[in-house]
Amino acid sequence: MALIECRECGGTLSSEAFSCPHCGAPRVRQSIAAAPKKKTPWIVKALLFFVGAVWLINWLDDHPNVPAPPLTPEQKCNDKESAFHMANQFAQRELISPTTAQFPSYSDSDVLVRSKGQCKHAVISYVDAQNKYGAVVRYKMYVELHNEIGTTSWWLDDIRIRDPSQ
């Protein structure tokens, strides 16, 4: 405990006193204690981490380190997914009610696309569409098609769409 001088009357008082015993003036503290730090809730930290991780993943997807090599004309003409989509377009033209056609996705387990070489493909799949009575039925289809190297034109070689009632 030390003795200090009062700022109002000049009298002496204890450094632990709250006010001067002579004049009653409040004692001015020399040092102010630092305010206690508030802890950030764990949920805020987790949310910030999650948002940062999502941003980083999206940024990395948009900025790949190694660009994909361009496809050669032979690779383009042997693209099975393109053959599947073109087979669906050819099949849709053959249906009684083409606007009602619902095709499966390329990755569906009931879809088979075989490359026969030289830009020729065979597609085995199905389509759900209305029949002549307006009922939606599942037709099985087999389509053979090809395209010419370096072009985006496709030609239909064979198509068989089987009505389930036959």
Side-chain angles (χ1 to χ4, degrees), residues 77-92:
C77 85
N78 286 315
D79 180 24
K80 291 181 178 182
E81 192 168 354
S82 294
F84 169 73
H85 291 295
M86 291 306 302
N88 289 347
Q89 288 183 20
F90 285 125
Q92 189 170 13

Side-chain angles (χ1 to χ4, degrees), residues 74 77-78 80 114-122 145-147 149 157:
E74 291 80 16
C77 85
N78 286 315
K80 291 181 178 182
R114 286 191 355 232
S115 178
K116 298 173 82 176
Q118 299 176 347
C119 302
K120 295 182 181 182
H121 303 275
L145 64 163
H146 72 276
N147 72 340
I149 294 177
D157 296 329

